[in-house]
Amino acid sequence: MPGDSILVVDDSPTILKLVQLVLTKSGYRVATASSGEAGLLLAHEDPPGLILLDYLMPDMNGDDVCRAMSADTVLSEVPVVVMSAREDDVGERFARMPNVVDHITKPFSPDALLAVIGHVMAKQSGLPGGKAAALALHDLPERDPDESGATTEPALSGDLGLISIADILTLLQDQAQTGTLTLAQAQAQIDVFLRTGRIELAGARGVPDEFLLGRFLVEAGEISGGALAAVIDERKATPEPVALLGADLVGRGLDTPAGLRKAMTLQTAALVYEGLRWGAGRFRFRVASELPQLARDAALELGVDALIMEGLRRVDEWRLIEREIGDFDLVFVRNEDKLTAFGRGKLLRDEVAVLEFVNGKNSVKDIIVLSKMGSFDVTKMLYRLLRNKLIRRRVRPVAV
């Protein structure tokens, strides 16, 4: 229950920070450890009410930690909730561990995390579960709005290198703020429109084409790539299009309002994820009594916590991927012998789609354009193919 102590053990700094933020907001006392060994030492010194344990860690796996706990008279009765990725089959493995009472699959939403922990804590205490109380935060300074409803001076502003956008979004959510959060880096800008702490829409300029609405319309299955290209060509030939692309497609009967909303949700989430990756630049938040018409019409009402959780998970993946594919000018070739032995039928649909463009000529940048997928999705598939040795980097010939 809120007030109880929880020890979070995970080797990902971003996951540790986010889970700690979610649990602390809900009234729990939280300690963190970045390895199994450190977690065991910390738990032995001050036994928590529950341990939230990552399954895969470099020094000790989750099962190693659980075995050590079972042999420790101080920790043998401390309940454990295991965190695992989708592909990790932990149910049967941990069923025999007496202190493991539940497990949760990554990525998980804050609500799902709190539900699991609340259930375990309530069961341990014999009390019914209840809604956790959030901690109160200081209000942002009030400003006088201009005629458009926006404040003339930002209520918050700062350096992205010094403060996390995840923390700013969480603050705005907790205070149920309405206004525009602007992120700026070099020539790129992302605007996140919030109403009473929920994200209504995000827009951008100066970002790669992969963040344009058209890509998400195709990804959502609302329109084919060919049909979209034909409409865009027609719009380019018209001096002044009378409507934005989404509204135009709905007006032509090529999409539905529900389909447009789905694509805008995907686009907004992708822009928030991109903003969470930025480690440099500036941010500012302006309070407003009214949002721009486009944001009011979109009214997506997306929860901040769930977007941050997924976004930071992606940030962790990006860091791992960038160790192998940090340069988008890299060119890969297929390892045909390995592909034959592995069997193409075992590949995921997106892996097959990306593999189609691996030909020893296309760079990573080219594959992103040709596949009409996002850079995160393309590099993730390339990383998987590379790790399975189904592709390899092209080696440039050396002049002798």
Side-chain angles (χ1 to χ4, degrees):
M1 303 300 291
D4 287 336
S5 63
I6 297 175
L7 172 62
V8 185
V9 184
D10 198 304
D11 62 319
S12 164
T14 50
I15 292 295
L16 280 180
K17 182 176 181 180
L18 184 60
V19 171
Q20 182 180 34
L21 183 65
V22 170
L23 296 180
T24 302
K25 278 174 49 187
S26 296
Y28 293 102
R29 293 183 291 113
V30 182
T32 62
S34 59
S35 69
E37 183 177 358
L40 286 170
L41 290 172
L42 194 58
H44 191 88
E45 294 174 0
D46 184 13
L50 180 145
I51 293 178
L52 191 62
L53 175 66
D54 185 28
Y55 171 54
L56 284 178
M57 291 182 291
D59 66 332
M60 298 178 73
N61 273 338
D63 50 355
D64 296 327
V65 175
C66 288
R67 289 191 187 95
M69 289 179 62
S70 297
D72 188 328
T73 56
V74 175
L75 302 177
S76 60
E77 300 299 323
V78 176
V80 174
V81 173
V82 175
M83 300 181 289
S84 66
R86 284 197 178 109
E87 59 268 21
D88 299 328
D89 184 14
V90 302
E92 184 177 347
R93 178 186 295 271
F94 286 104
R96 297 185 295 272
M97 296 291 178
N99 43 352
V100 175
V101 295
D102 207 341
H103 75 272
I104 186 168
T105 302
K106 296 178 181 179
F108 44 76
S109 69
D111 287 343
L113 176 64
L114 291 173
V116 168
I117 289 178
H119 174 75
V120 172
M121 289 296 201
K123 187 175 180 180
Q124 292 298 119
S125 63
L127 298 174
K131 185 175 181 181
L135 296 180
L137 296 174
H138 295 294
D139 288 334
L140 293 175
E142 294 185 358
R143 305 282 183 177
D144 294 326
D146 61 20
E147 294 179 359
S148 68
T151 54
T152 55
E153 294 292 335
L156 282 176
S157 63
D159 189 333
L160 290 176
L162 300 177
I163 187 166
S164 165
I165 287 303
D167 291 339
I168 296 299
L169 283 170
T170 300
L171 174 68
L172 299 176
Q173 173 189 248
D174 290 347
Q175 295 183 4
Q177 292 287 343
T178 296
T180 303
L181 175 65
T182 298
L183 316 177
Q185 182 188 72
Q187 303 303 312
Q189 178 176 310
I190 298 174
D191 294 313
V192 182
F193 303 99
L194 298 102
R195 180 185 295 280
T196 60
R198 299 183 71 83
I199 295 176
E200 301 285 52
L201 183 70
R205 59 177 177 267
V207 296
D209 288 350
E210 66 183 86
F211 294 106
L212 296 178
L213 180 63
R215 173 211 152 189
F216 300 98
L217 288 164
V218 174
E219 183 179 311
E222 296 304 314
I223 189 171
S224 69
L228 177 64
V231 172
I232 291 175
D233 287 342
E234 183 181 330
R235 286 168 59 87
K236 287 180 179 177
T238 303
E240 295 181 4
V242 295
L244 295 174
L245 176 61
D248 190 7
L249 292 173
V250 172
R252 294 169 185 252
L254 297 175
D255 197 7
T256 64
L260 176 59
R261 180 183 178 87
K262 181 179 179 182
M264 292 172 72
T265 297
L266 291 173
Q267 181 190 37
T268 292
L271 287 170
V272 172
Y273 301 154
E274 177 67 8
L276 289 169
R277 289 184 59 223
W278 291 1
R282 301 287 301 176
F283 73 88
R284 67 176 184 272
F285 177 72
R286 285 189 169 90
V287 178
S289 57
E290 283 292 347
L291 296 178
Q293 187 64 49
L294 185 61
R296 297 203 301 270
D297 291 342
L300 300 178
E301 297 185 339
L302 304 180
V304 165
D305 281 341
L307 285 176
I308 291 176
M309 182 74 79
E310 173 62 14
L312 291 185
R313 184 190 70 81
R314 287 175 175 243
V315 168
D316 271 349
E317 282 197 75
W318 262 118
R319 288 173 179 163
L320 185 64
I321 291 167
E322 285 178 340
R323 295 175 191 169
E324 301 284 345
I325 312 173
D327 182 359
F328 279 17
D329 289 325
L330 282 174
V331 175
F332 293 94
V333 295
R334 301 179 195 177
N335 191 334
E336 297 293 352
D337 291 339
K338 288 285 186 181
L339 276 168
T340 300
F342 184 82
R344 291 175 182 264
K346 295 180 182 178
L347 296 174
L348 300 175
R349 183 181 65 179
D350 286 347
E351 289 174 334
V352 172
V354 168
L355 185 63
E356 187 71 22
F357 298 106
V358 175
N359 59 6
K361 298 179 180 178
N362 292 327
S363 66
V364 175
K365 190 185 305 179
D366 295 331
I367 295 174
I368 292 169
V369 173
L370 292 168
S371 67
K372 296 181 171 60
M373 296 168 62
S375 55
F376 174 79
D377 297 315
V378 168
T379 53
K380 183 176 179 179
M381 295 306 109
L382 288 172
Y383 178 78
R384 288 180 178 176
L385 294 169
L386 189 62
R387 296 288 287 182
N388 285 309
K389 300 181 179 179
L390 303 180
I391 63 173
R392 55 183 172 78
R393 292 181 184 84
R394 188 190 71 183
V395 178
R396 296 181 181 275
V398 179
V400 178

